[in-house]
Amino acid sequence: MKKTILLTMALMLAMAMGAQQKREMRGAWIQCVNGQFQGLGTVKMQQTLTYQLNELQRDGVNVIIFQVRPECDALYESKLEPWSRFLTGQQGKAPSPYWDPLKWMIEECHKRGMELHAWINPYRAKTKGTKMLASNHISVRKPMNCFAYDDLFILNPGIAENRDYICEVAKDIVTRYDVDGIHMDDYFYPYPVKGESVPDDELFYDNPNGLKNQNDWRRYNVNLFVEQFYKTVHATKPWVKVGISPFGIYRNKRSSEIGSNTNGLQNYDDLYADILLWVNNGWLDYCVPQIYWEIGNKAADYETLIHWWNQYASARPLVIGEDVERTVKHSDPKNPNVHQLSAKMALHQQLPNVQGSVLWYAKAVVDNVGNYGTSLRQTYWRYPALQPAMPFIDDKAPKKVRKMKPIWTSDGYVLFWTAPKGDNWDDQAVKYVVYRFGAKEKIDTNDPSKICAITTQPFYKLPYVDGKEKWVYVVTALDRLQNESKAVKKKVKL
């Protein structure tokens, strides 16, 4: 019996490793709104983030989505919005010793070969726990642009000036920081609360934009914003990816013929977020629906929803938002002795339009709840991965690397190369992929198990032993959208 179990586990491991994709977004959200950094101080917060990034790198994560604007505030130096209380404990108070968390995170992520996507909440101007607002906060400067709802302040999506303002904030981030992406979460109009109503009747009646239905008008407002936001970011820096992470249900079957067989809150009807319109119109570069439920959930079954998104939201890269704690809390319905990670990963591998996952949330992975981090590190994300291709932004690969040569240095045997020539953002090399093959092996750069490193450096330290074993190293260049050049190979003896 024990032998059978071990054999089954070995087969599952082999299948999982064999099924790894070469291109896959492997993200993790690092949030501040839960207060995990509040009052830590500069040194302790940097130590905490360093530890998290190191562990996430070992787990195979290649994108960090870092929350920098939870309530029209900033975890970065801004002339538009005040410093966040989630950083210093008091809105408007600068960190001491002074530092810029976004700038620091970009540098640290890039050192580790990770992308950094700046995560903003577009409309929320005050969370429930915030009691004092800085004098330069938007809701203090322009109180009529906001409305109160369930102890929150919300920038009114029906006011054009608010759309312009959020886009100005995004443009400021993208202009001044070397972010790889800018990311919005699921908060558009506020989540409905019983007994509360959005106070926008007068605004609708005064300016309906030709629409007779108030719900359609609210969706129209958000659609205008999302289109404007996308165009603003790409007009500023064409390579910066725009990602949106909507609530996990678009519509239920009872509301729409194309709805999912679910029974929960709906993006379209309750949050006025027509995510399929945005996907199909190309107003985002990747979509991360938050399918946080478990397989077998009665109202919102994970398996039903991942199939639904795979079917209807494939016009842009589809990446699944995963709840780490809920995944390990529930057992696999087909195998009650284990939790649901392996079953969920199997669904990812079966569905052709799923191009990765983003984990909610980073600390749960770092804390290795339910052995989740270890499973990623040893099995599912064991080998490095490139980002999903985005040919709708750029599909031109850079030229191949030049002058590749192994050289003995004071630091050992090092493979050096020179960057290819490139004049513009879409043909310049910013990273390199290093592959390793046996002397008689077929060169196959589609095999992710052969990737040694994805690096920003034009060199790679070779693992020299005694010079008796022959290997072939292959290097390709990547541009900002991770289009991959032709390969250059070099035979070495290690």
Side-chain angles (χ1 to χ4, degrees):
M1 179 68 176
K2 189 175 180 181
K3 195 172 183 180
T4 305
I5 292 171
L6 288 171
L7 183 61
T8 303
M9 288 174 66
L11 284 169
M12 286 175 66
L13 180 66
M15 286 170 63
M17 287 163 57
Q20 281 193 43
Q21 302 298 311
K22 181 181 170 180
R23 288 187 178 271
E24 189 174 39
M25 182 180 282
R26 300 170 176 177
W29 280 291
I30 296 184
Q31 85 275 43
C32 66
V33 76
N34 66 343
Q36 66 171 322
F37 304 125
Q38 193 168 315
L40 277 186
T42 301
V43 174
K44 184 65 176 174
M45 183 171 169
Q46 289 179 355
Q47 289 173 346
T48 301
L49 285 168
T50 298
Y51 175 72
Q52 290 188 4
L53 292 177
N54 287 341
E55 291 300 297
L56 293 167
Q57 181 186 18
R58 293 186 187 106
D59 292 338
V61 169
N62 60 18
V63 177
I64 297 297
I65 301 176
F66 181 55
Q67 189 173 28
V68 298
R69 184 187 186 259
E71 50 178 3
C72 294
D73 53 357
L75 272 83
Y76 60 95
E77 187 178 288
S78 173
K79 292 180 180 177
L80 301 175
E81 298 187 310
W83 284 102
S84 176
R85 77 171 178 91
F86 293 107
L87 177 64
T88 63
Q90 179 185 331
Q91 191 176 93
K93 181 182 178 182
S96 180
Y98 187 85
W99 71 307
D100 184 325
L102 176 56
K103 182 176 183 290
W104 186 90
M105 281 290 284
I106 291 167
E107 291 170 355
E108 292 297 314
C109 286
H110 288 177
K111 273 197 310 195
R112 293 167 174 80
M114 297 170 166
E115 289 194 350
L116 188 287
H117 294 206
W119 161 20
I120 71 169
N121 184 289
Y123 292 113
R124 186 174 61 201
K126 185 187 84 68
T127 60
K128 290 186 178 183
T130 299
K131 305 303 179 188
M132 291 182 63
L133 295 167
S135 59
N136 63 330
H137 190 267
I138 185 67
S139 65
V140 176
R141 291 189 292 110
K142 298 194 174 183
M144 299 306 292
N145 282 21
C146 304
F147 61 79
Y149 187 95
D150 191 35
D151 205 22
L152 305 169
F153 287 170
I154 307 292
L155 288 178
N156 195 327
I159 297 175
E161 186 182 0
N162 286 338
R163 297 194 289 271
D164 295 340
Y165 174 68
I166 301 164
C167 289
E168 184 185 4
V169 170
K171 182 177 181 178
D172 177 56
I173 293 171
V174 172
T175 299
R176 294 191 298 115
Y177 293 91
D178 189 19
V179 293
D180 302 287
I182 193 153
H183 183 91
M184 290 191 286
D185 51 22
D186 51 322
Y187 295 96
F188 295 97
Y189 276 86
Y191 275 71
V193 173
K194 191 175 182 179
E196 296 265 358
S197 60
V198 174
D200 60 359
D201 291 353
E202 188 177 335
L203 193 62
F204 169 58
Y205 294 131
D206 288 347
N207 188 23
N209 289 312
L211 296 166
K212 295 180 180 180
N213 181 286
Q214 192 167 2
N215 292 344
D216 289 340
W217 175 78
R218 288 173 180 167
R219 276 184 287 273
Y220 173 77
N221 294 332
V222 180
N223 292 340
L224 284 177
F225 162 67
V226 171
E227 181 181 15
Q228 182 181 345
F229 185 91
Y230 184 80
K231 290 178 177 177
T232 298
V233 171
H234 280 282
T236 307
K237 286 181 181 174
W239 62 86
V240 174
K241 303 166 187 176
V242 175
I244 298 179
S245 180
F247 182 71
I249 298 172
Y250 174 66
R251 301 189 83 184
N252 299 309
K253 199 80 172 174
R254 58 182 166 79
S255 301
S256 168
E257 285 185 9
I258 67 160
S260 53
N261 189 19
T262 50
N263 183 27
L265 184 117
Q266 305 166 101
N267 270 298
Y268 184 91
D269 304 83
D270 301 313
L271 302 176
Y272 310 102
D274 191 353
I275 186 69
L276 284 195
L277 179 74
W278 312 340
V279 167
N280 291 325
N281 283 0
W283 296 343
L284 70 170
D285 298 314
Y286 66 93
C287 177
V288 192
Q290 297 172 21
I291 311 181
Y292 287 171
W293 302 275
E294 69 278 8
I295 298 170
N297 184 286
K298 290 180 181 179
D301 172 47
Y302 178 95
E303 187 166 0
T304 297
L305 283 165
I306 195 172
H307 276 97
W308 186 92
W309 286 98
N310 177 75
Q311 180 177 353
Y312 289 101
S314 62
R316 285 291 185 263
L318 172 64
V319 183
I320 306 302
E322 298 280 356
D323 186 313
V324 172
E325 291 180 343
R326 192 174 299 199
T327 296
V328 301
K329 178 182 175 183
H330 293 275
S331 59
D332 182 349
K334 295 178 182 176
N335 184 2
N337 294 320
V338 298
H339 59 58
Q340 294 193 354
L341 176 59
S342 59
K344 287 184 174 183
M345 284 296 192
L347 285 167
H348 281 234
Q349 291 158 8
Q350 291 162 18
L351 297 173
N353 296 320
V354 173
Q355 298 189 48
S357 51
V358 179
L359 308 176
W360 178 257
Y361 51 100
K363 189 175 183 298
V365 185
V366 171
D367 290 346
N368 201 25
V369 297
N371 225 30
Y372 199 105
T374 300
S375 297
L376 294 178
R377 189 177 302 193
Q378 296 181 352
T379 306
Y380 301 107
W381 292 354
R382 181 178 177 183
Y383 303 116
L386 280 65
Q387 295 300 329
M390 295 186 177
F392 44 87
I393 302 176
D394 170 38
D395 62 357
K396 180 185 174 185
K399 293 178 180 177
K400 60 187 180 181
V401 302
R402 302 173 294 145
K403 302 176 184 177
M404 192 159 82
K405 187 177 181 180
I407 298 173
W408 278 103
T409 72
S410 58
D411 193 36
Y413 203 29
V414 179
L415 185 64
F416 287 94
W417 58 86
T418 301
K421 292 179 180 178
D423 298 322
N424 303 308
W425 71 266
D426 56 352
D427 60 10
Q428 291 174 342
V430 296
K431 288 182 183 177
Y432 306 93
V433 188
V434 182
Y435 302 84
R436 168 168 142 145
F437 298 91
K440 296 182 179 179
E441 252 185 308
K442 181 183 176 183
I443 304 297
D444 179 11
T445 56
N446 290 317
D447 183 353
S449 71
K450 301 302 178 182
I451 299 176
C452 304
I454 300 172
T455 176
T456 57
Q457 303 295 338
F459 57 84
Y460 177 76
K461 186 174 179 181
L462 297 166
Y464 185 85
V465 181
D466 54 15
K468 294 180 179 179
E469 200 160 353
K470 294 179 180 178
W471 295 93
V472 179
Y473 276 80
V474 171
V475 175
T476 60
L478 301 175
D479 64 15
R480 283 189 175 271
L481 271 297
Q482 300 211 350
N483 294 302
E484 189 173 19
S485 75
K486 292 180 180 178
V488 176
K489 61 182 181 180
K490 180 64 67 175
K491 295 178 181 178
V492 296
K493 289 183 180 179
L494 301 177

